[in-house]
Amino acid sequence: LTRTEAEQLLAVLRPKLSYLRRVIERMEQTGFAPDDEVFRLAQEAAEDLQALTAELHGLMVRGNVWRRP
């Protein structure tokens, strides 16, 4: 990825992560059981999306965005 591509990807992913976090919060408020499969998968998706955005951000800060072969 170029720096521009990484920035564009982050611009798309961050709002989606924010939305997913709000959905999880609403699920908690409405009483979803901790072992509910949809609730569990939403939490896992948020964790994975957070890891991806953090990694992309870190690569950009360090200037280590991927180079095309």
Side-chain angles (χ1 to χ4, degrees):
L1 293 174
T2 65
R3 182 175 184 84
T4 300
E5 290 169 331
E7 288 171 350
Q8 290 171 341
L9 186 54
L10 279 172
V12 170
L13 294 177
R14 284 181 172 148
K16 303 221 180 295
L17 177 57
S18 178
Y19 173 75
L20 189 52
R21 286 180 175 157
R22 288 192 309 273
V23 168
I24 292 167
E25 185 178 323
R26 184 164 300 188
M27 292 171 89
E28 290 171 336
Q29 291 171 351
T30 58
F32 271 73
D35 61 347
D36 181 271
E37 186 67 8
V38 172
F39 183 65
R40 188 186 63 76
L41 289 171
Q43 288 178 314
E44 286 180 15
E47 291 170 7
D48 290 343
L49 197 50
Q50 173 62 42
L52 177 58
T53 58
E55 181 66 18
L56 284 170
H57 176 76
L59 288 170
M60 288 176 46
V61 168
R62 294 186 304 270
N64 295 339
V65 291
W66 297 282
R67 306 284 182 227
R68 289 193 172 113

